Amino acid sequence: MEATSTGRRERDPGRLLALVERRVAARLAAALTPAGCGLDEWRVMSLLADGHGHAMSEIADYALLPPPTLTKLIDRMVSANRVHRRVDDADRRRVLVFLTPRGREQYDTLAAAIDDEWERLASVVGREEMDLLGVLLSRLASRLP
């Protein structure tokens, strides 16, 4: 009986996804820590790096954060002069968030650190496996509601 339950546990996709996510997140967080940035802030900056303003709801979806948590994070980022808010010219009811020049500079520095960490991960796991994992996860994410 024990061998069956152990085998099932080792193949539990939900547990495996959570385990990998935690380990990867810990490595990425360690790469961001020297710059005083967390993973949630990095996700926000990586969306805003496209230069387009983004609404809070879009940022919350992308960064996987509940709206109240995102509001507090954006407030801290505004205080640190990493982002600024501006009313949307097309819809005056919406507020868009943009990177400031300082935020852009920090993003560029952090992007290099993140790229280096992804390279280290690829050297441990294998480039083909990392590419395959990316394809499979993208496919799963797009198919699951």
Side-chain angles (χ1 to χ4, degrees):
M1 180 72 173
E2 181 62 32
T4 303
S5 66
T6 300
R8 189 176 312 126
R9 203 172 37 235
E10 290 171 356
R11 292 186 314 268
D12 176 7
R15 181 184 173 283
L16 292 172
L17 283 169
L19 179 63
V20 170
E21 188 276 334
R22 288 179 184 165
R23 289 181 179 173
V24 169
R27 291 179 73 135
L28 296 177
L32 296 168
T33 297
C37 183
L39 201 49
D40 290 337
E41 188 172 351
W42 164 251
R43 286 186 184 126
V44 170
M45 292 173 75
S46 67
L47 176 64
L48 300 179
D50 66 7
H52 304 292
H54 295 275
M56 292 290 282
S57 58
E58 183 183 358
I59 299 169
D61 287 344
Y62 182 85
L64 308 172
L65 293 171
T69 302
L70 177 64
T71 298
K72 290 175 188 168
L73 177 61
I74 293 295
D75 288 345
R76 286 194 306 271
M77 293 175 76
V78 167
S79 294
N81 192 26
R82 293 181 178 135
V83 301
H84 67 91
R85 295 178 177 106
R86 188 175 79 209
V87 174
D88 186 353
D89 293 334
D91 182 352
R92 307 283 303 158
R93 296 170 295 176
R94 285 183 3 141
V95 173
L96 302 178
V97 181
F98 296 84
L99 283 178
T100 62
R102 181 171 189 244
R104 166 55 73 180
E105 184 178 306
Q106 184 177 29
Y107 168 79
D108 291 341
T109 300
L110 293 172
I114 291 293
D115 288 347
D116 289 347
E117 188 53 40
W118 279 117
E119 285 301 319
R120 283 190 283 282
L121 278 166
S123 71
V124 170
V125 175
R127 169 81 48 215
E128 288 181 25
E129 285 84 354
M130 291 291 288
D131 291 345
L132 178 59
L133 180 61
V135 168
L136 292 173
L137 290 174
S138 293
R139 211 177 282 163
L140 278 172
S142 70
R143 292 179 183 173
L144 294 175

